[in-house]
């Protein structure tokens, strides 16, 4: 699985950051709501890939979304012995193309970097991905778009 994720990220673009603005991870750092996601991406070994050219769309759970996980679940995921599972979870939040918020359509399925698809539904004007609602769409960066989501999206087994 890690090999598949690495290959998908490599195919998305070269390993150097684009020069036309901050990367998605830079934008997430500047925003301030994504510290836990950034730490998870780093622990999963995906930071360098997500700083590459892309393009990517990251549906990044906010710190509040990670705080809502069951007690001990985040610590369990961040444990080195669970790196494969953490990588699967983080990469399930990444689509290897740019997907603006206004292009998220009811019934769509987005192919994620981890190989699984992420179902999209639109209910009462809210866009829902799996079990998460897009809370603040559209932070545009040099290598893609970041959408804040209100829950950690768990990949299907």
């Amino acid at each position: 699985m890690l090999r598949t994720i690495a290959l998908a990220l490599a195919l998305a673009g070269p390993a150097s950051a684009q020069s036309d603005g901050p990367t998605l991870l830079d934008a997430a750092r500047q925003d301030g709501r994504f510290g836990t996601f950034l730490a998870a991406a780093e622990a999963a070994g995906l930071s360098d890939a997500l700083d590459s050219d892309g393009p990517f769309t990251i549906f990044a759970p906010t710190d509040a979304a990670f705080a809502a996980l069951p007690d001990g679940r985040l610590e369990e995921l961040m444990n080195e012995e669970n790196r494969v599972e953490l990588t699967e979870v983080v990469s399930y939040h990444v689509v290897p193309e740019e997907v603006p918020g206004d292009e998220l359509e009811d019934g769509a399925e987005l192919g994620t970097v981890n190989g699984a698809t992420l179902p999209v539904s639109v209910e009462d004007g809210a866009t829902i991905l799996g079990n998460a609602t897009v809370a603040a769409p559209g932070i545009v960066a040099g290598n893609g778009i970041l959408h804040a989501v209100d829950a950690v999206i768990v990949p299907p087994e």
Side-chain angles (χ1 to χ4, degrees):
M1 178 55 83
L2 284 176
R3 202 172 277 160
T4 302
I5 292 166
L7 178 61
L9 286 169
L11 290 175
S16 61
Q18 287 185 345
S19 60
D20 57 345
T23 67
L24 288 162
L25 297 187
D26 291 335
R29 283 182 202 94
Q30 291 170 1
D31 183 278
R33 293 178 292 164
F34 305 104
T36 308
F37 179 80
L38 291 165
E42 179 72 28
L46 298 176
S47 292
D48 288 344
L50 294 174
D51 266 340
S52 70
D53 285 349
F56 301 109
T57 299
I58 299 177
F59 295 99
T62 62
D63 292 339
F66 277 101
L69 288 172
D71 285 345
R73 182 65 177 132
L74 178 60
E75 293 77 13
E76 179 182 323
L77 280 171
M78 296 293 278
N79 190 322
E80 177 64 32
E81 68 189 31
N82 296 319
R83 183 174 181 185
V84 170
E85 183 181 5
L86 177 64
T87 302
E88 290 176 5
V89 169
V90 171
S91 64
Y92 191 55
H93 292 80
V94 181
V95 175
E97 62 183 291
E98 285 189 22
V99 184
D102 61 358
E103 292 182 16
L104 293 167
E105 297 179 357
D106 192 46
E109 292 191 358
L110 304 173
T112 66
V113 169
N114 90 345
T117 58
L118 184 57
V120 178
S121 63
V122 178
E123 299 173 14
D124 298 323
T127 302
I128 298 159
L129 305 163
N131 63 321
T133 301
V134 177
I139 299 170
V140 178
N143 63 340
I145 300 172
L146 182 140
H147 301 285
V149 294
D150 67 353
V152 176
I153 309 167
V154 179
E157 295 197 24

